[in-house]
Amino acid sequence: MHETKRVEQDSAPACTEATLEVLETMFFELPVAQPKMQGKAPEPAVAATAVFSGDLRGSLCVACEPWAARRLAASFLGREDESTIAEAEVRLVACEMANMVCGNALSRIEPHGRFQIVTPVASLTGNEGQEWLTFPLESGAVAVCLRIASL
Amino acid sequence: MTKRLMIVDDSPVMRSFVRRTLQITGLEMESCAEAANGAEALEKLHEAGVDLILTDINMPVLDGEGLLRALQVDPELKQIPVVVVSTDSTEQRVDALMGLGARGYVKKPFQPEKLSQVLSGIFPEWASVADGGF
């Protein structure tokens, strides 16, 4: 347990870098301020969870404030009019973001490791009491929580 | 020269993203088919000609590795170049997929330039388009 906590703390820079790269490259979005750790996810939120196994086991959750989630989905899908985006598409884009941040973070934490990421689901599970890395955007915030269950 | 492409990914929004990125690169496509997994891709590949496959790894039913293995043993399809587009960029995984016959690997997240560069390596006639586009 102690070792698990250490790995989670050590993974914070990798998680930050991974999230920033995904936001900039795939969503053309950069935070308006430095990310900070917070004790809870934004509420309400559009959330997605990616569960992974392999050399490390755990989950990565992404939670976006609704307006930010819609804007990010519009950027990802290349649509200027955010009103044309269905709620289902917003959730699918959140899932894809969780997938990309998870894969990117894991390859930074364990470049020689082997992982299997299960197709993300649009929900927020098992993150009570966890620290969330929160990135303030122009239109809301996106938060990321990496939980490593065991070594 | 126009090419017929196929994007294989279980996420419809990711397929849409890849298709849009291909359009941004300026590479001319005659057609761009889509499949939600490796099994669906194999079914469609037997129905329509494809010059290049872009595939994800983690997919239900038949994943990217399974698709590559199936293509290798199919005399009709084994010549089609495959580029893997995936979040899983650990060294072991990339080596394994290249060993299974993948011709290129694009790690998500990626810039259009990266996709264009990999595709130009497979189709040199696209190199001038890619260079001009960026």
Side-chain angles (χ1 to χ4, degrees):
Chain A
M1 187 64 188
H2 178 71
E3 186 67 6
T4 297
K5 190 73 182 170
R6 185 192 64 75
V7 172
E8 283 180 354
Q9 285 167 350
D10 290 351
S11 68
C15 207
T16 301
E17 288 165 16
T19 308
L20 288 173
E21 188 182 6
V22 169
L23 283 172
E24 183 176 6
T25 311
M26 306 297 271
F27 296 91
F28 316 106
E29 185 94 35
L30 280 172
V32 293
Q34 289 294 314
K36 56 186 176 186
M37 298 301 283
Q38 294 195 319
K40 61 176 186 175
E43 283 183 56
V46 176
T49 301
V51 173
F52 56 90
S53 58
D55 290 349
L56 292 174
R57 194 163 60 84
S59 63
L60 184 135
C61 296
V62 165
C64 304
E65 288 178 5
W67 193 249
R70 181 162 288 278
R71 182 178 154 141
L72 289 168
S75 296
F76 189 80
L77 296 169
R79 293 199 215 146
E80 286 184 16
D81 185 357
E82 293 171 14
S83 67
T84 64
I85 298 172
E87 285 301 319
E89 288 179 308
V90 175
R91 288 193 294 273
L92 283 170
V93 170
C95 286
E96 194 54 47
M97 182 189 283
N99 186 39
M100 288 188 285
V101 174
C102 186
N104 198 348
L106 292 176
S107 63
R108 289 169 190 269
I109 296 165
E110 291 281 351
H112 305 290
R114 192 165 175 99
F115 305 99
Q116 182 77 20
I117 303 172
V118 178
T119 301
V121 292
S123 69
L124 196 58
T125 51
N127 292 89
E128 297 80 12
Q130 300 288 316
E131 289 288 303
W132 289 79
L133 195 53
T134 305
F135 299 79
L137 306 176
E138 223 173 83
S139 58
V142 56
V144 173
C145 176
L146 175 63
R147 192 174 60 140
I148 296 171
S150 62
L151 293 172
Chain B
M1 179 181 280
T2 59
K3 299 289 182 191
R4 299 162 299 175
L5 273 64
M6 176 180 278
I7 302 166
V8 189
D9 197 306
D10 58 330
S11 167
V13 292
M14 196 64 217
R15 295 199 300 269
S16 172
F17 183 90
V18 173
R19 179 189 283 264
R20 189 164 62 88
T21 304
L22 286 165
Q23 288 164 346
I24 290 169
T25 63
L27 304 175
E28 290 182 14
M29 293 180 285
E30 182 183 315
S31 62
C32 187
E34 294 186 13
N37 58 62
E40 193 180 312
L42 288 170
E43 208 171 288
K44 289 186 175 178
L45 284 166
H46 282 290
E47 292 167 5
V50 167
D51 300 308
L52 175 76
I53 300 167
L54 295 159
T55 185
D56 186 19
I57 301 174
N58 292 321
M59 295 178 288
V61 189
L62 185 66
D63 64 12
E65 279 194 25
L67 174 60
L68 278 163
R69 288 182 204 281
L71 291 172
Q72 284 297 306
V73 297
D74 190 316
E76 278 181 42
L77 306 178
K78 67 187 295 186
Q79 303 304 326
I80 303 173
V82 179
V83 171
V84 176
V85 182
S86 175
T87 55
D88 188 343
S89 58
T90 52
E91 290 173 12
Q92 281 189 17
R93 182 55 77 99
V94 175
D95 290 347
L97 290 162
M98 298 306 269
L100 285 171
R103 293 278 301 276
Y105 200 101
V106 178
K107 177 198 138 196
K108 288 190 276 186
F110 61 88
Q111 305 255 2
E113 293 92 325
K114 176 63 183 173
L115 185 60
S116 179
Q117 180 193 341
V118 171
L119 299 189
S120 300
I122 296 169
F123 298 123
E125 61 268 37
W126 273 358
S128 58
V129 178
D131 290 345
F134 304 105

